[in-house]
Amino acid sequence: GAVVSQHPSWVICKSGTSVKIECRSLDFQATTMFWYRQFPKQSLMLMATSNEGSKATYEQGVEKDKFLINHASLTLSTLTVTSAHPEDSSFYICSARGLGLGNEQFFGPGTRLTVL
Amino acid sequence: GESVGLHLPTLSVQEGDNSIINCAYSNSASDYFIWYKQESGKGPQFIIDIRSNMDKRQGQRVTVLLNKTVKHLSLQIAATQPGDSAVYFCAEKNQAGTALIFGKGTTLSVSS
């Protein structure tokens, strides 16, 4: 139980285009979802926290107009990287916390974004 | 600011040895800590957690020790196996208690 999936697992795009990454909780309702970014050989950096039906809370230094987060349902959150540039190339990981599942965050497998 | 860090970026052990991975945290008000394992190209995998009202917690082959006096957390892996090779992160709640802050990670390499 408590499985989180991400789609796509990897994506390559041209500079200037937008890319959408989906995060789904497969067998539980996710009241809160988190988006992290991880550069090679570095730790996970929290980008934003989103609660279903409300606007995401972004961490300091994360551009909300560049990284659009939508958490429209209890099982789906999306991260859209707008006007992507090579420096946005990274590993994007989502996690979710669910109703009745305590404090534990369940992590997705990550999405590797490469911007050419 | 908030920060969670690890003492050593890499640790190399022989199969069968015990491994100890350390972490220092800065927020003395933190009340919940987690250890994660991350294999290459994958998301973090929960290993074990501990609350601040405990000093020690044991799981299968893993033990987490918490020393609140010096704000130090450690993960002990018994009889380390090649499958344990991964990057290990400690994490704590942020000050708002709404999200997790990850440390820098220790890469564990297990040789046969």
Side-chain angles (χ1 to χ4, degrees):
Chain A
V3 177
V4 175
S5 70
Q6 283 184 239
H7 178 81
S9 55
W10 60 270
V11 57
I12 301 173
C13 69
K14 292 182 179 179
S15 186
T17 60
S18 294
V19 174
K20 180 184 286 188
I21 302 170
E22 293 184 349
C23 176
R24 291 181 186 274
S25 56
L26 298 185
D27 50 4
F28 68 99
Q29 293 183 322
T31 51
T32 306
M33 285 185 164
F34 305 87
W35 286 96
Y36 293 84
R37 180 168 52 181
Q38 185 178 32
F39 292 110
K41 298 191 184 300
Q42 294 190 24
S43 188
L44 283 75
M45 298 300 296
L46 179 66
M47 299 176 68
T49 302
S50 74
N51 294 297
E52 184 266 337
S54 61
K55 289 184 178 179
T57 301
Y58 290 80
E59 294 299 299
Q60 193 171 9
V62 178
E63 300 174 58
K64 60 179 69 176
D65 293 332
K66 180 169 183 62
F67 298 100
L68 302 177
I69 292 172
N70 185 288
H71 190 167
S73 77
L74 282 172
T75 60
L76 173 65
S77 176
T78 60
L79 168 68
T80 301
V81 183
T82 62
S83 186
H85 291 286
E87 57 265 31
D88 298 323
S89 298
S90 188
F91 195 50
Y92 291 87
I93 306 170
C94 73
S95 69
R97 200 162 56 202
L99 281 171
L101 297 179
N103 284 315
E104 187 171 350
Q105 288 186 29
F106 302 94
F107 283 83
T111 296
R112 173 75 57 193
L113 170 63
T114 302
V115 185
L116 302 177
Chain B
E2 299 176 89
S3 68
V4 178
L6 289 169
H7 292 300
L8 292 174
T10 61
L11 176 65
S12 297
V13 301
Q14 291 284 325
E15 182 178 2
D17 287 351
N18 295 330
S19 302
I20 299 176
I21 300 171
N22 297 305
C23 175
Y25 62 94
S26 61
N27 182 9
S28 57
S30 292
D31 62 357
Y32 182 60
F33 304 88
I34 310 171
W35 280 101
Y36 286 95
K37 172 186 180 183
Q38 187 181 28
E39 297 175 317
S40 182
K42 297 184 179 180
Q45 175 187 354
F46 174 92
I47 300 174
I48 191 167
D49 60 0
I50 189 167
R51 296 198 174 279
S52 59
N53 60 352
M54 302 174 71
D55 297 324
K56 179 180 179 179
R57 191 161 187 231
Q58 287 185 291
Q60 188 176 14
R61 282 200 308 120
V62 295
T63 301
V64 55
L65 299 177
L66 175 62
N67 185 330
K68 294 180 288 295
T69 302
V70 295
K71 292 186 285 188
H72 183 268
L73 193 68
S74 69
L75 176 70
Q76 300 178 3
I77 304 174
T80 315
Q81 302 167 0
D84 294 327
S85 295
V87 181
Y88 290 81
F89 295 95
C90 64
E92 63 172 333
K93 277 188 188 176
N94 63 356
Q95 288 193 344
T98 54
L100 293 176
I101 303 296
F102 281 76
K104 294 180 180 176
T106 290
T107 299
L108 175 65
S109 299
V110 183
S111 52
S112 303

